[in-house]
Amino acid sequence: QVQLVESGGGLVQAGGSLRLSCAASGRIISSYAMGWFRQAPGKEREFVVASSRYGGITYYADSVKGRFTISRDNAKNMVYLQMHSLKPEDTAVYYCAAGTYYRDYESFGSWGQGTQVTVSS
């Protein structure tokens, strides 16, 4: 199973940018669909974006489309989430996850510990 560690979260003002990183170990990520999910206080975890195996296809939640970009460096076993035009409603703990199919959220079985993103108004 792949192990995932997120970093890069923090406090940012509305309209600002952050880049989250996800370092994978144990398995090469090129054989996995990779995704980012988030969970705000008092809410269920929600899908943000996913990338197919090898990164050829990406799928974004409508709430982040045009503002967030997922990228992956399979050679370095890294996944990134570039976030622009951040809004207070983006405040959440962000989780990196690995799965077998980018459109099947139930297939994401490996998770990181999460990194907090707080957007102030």
Side-chain angles (χ1 to χ4, degrees):
Q1 195 170 12
V2 62
Q3 289 79 48
L4 304 169
V5 178
E6 303 94 336
S7 60
L11 174 64
V12 63
Q13 288 188 332
S17 300
L18 275 177
R19 189 177 84 151
L20 306 183
S21 299
C22 174
S25 61
R27 297 282 182 92
I28 55 173
I29 63 169
S30 59
S31 58
Y32 289 90
M34 299 299 297
W36 289 92
F37 295 74
R38 67 187 182 186
Q39 187 167 18
K43 295 186 177 181
E44 293 188 353
R45 185 171 61 196
E46 67 173 359
F47 166 78
V48 176
V49 58
S51 166
S52 64
R53 292 167 53 183
Y54 305 104
I57 304 172
T58 55
Y59 181 70
Y60 292 86
D62 288 343
S63 59
V64 306
K65 201 173 295 183
R67 300 188 298 120
F68 291 12
T69 303
I70 188 173
S71 61
R72 53 196 294 168
D73 186 336
N74 287 338
K76 295 182 178 179
N77 242 23
M78 295 289 296
V79 183
Y80 305 98
L81 181 65
Q82 180 67 58
M83 306 184 292
H84 294 298
S85 302
L86 283 161
K87 305 174 182 180
E89 51 264 43
D90 294 319
T91 295
V93 177
Y94 283 71
Y95 298 91
C96 177
T100 57
Y101 182 53
Y102 76 107
R103 290 299 302 270
D104 180 6
Y105 308 151
E106 296 297 325
S107 80
F108 285 85
S110 297
W111 296 84
Q113 84 289 349
T115 185
Q116 176 72 46
V117 172
T118 303
V119 184
S120 63
S121 58

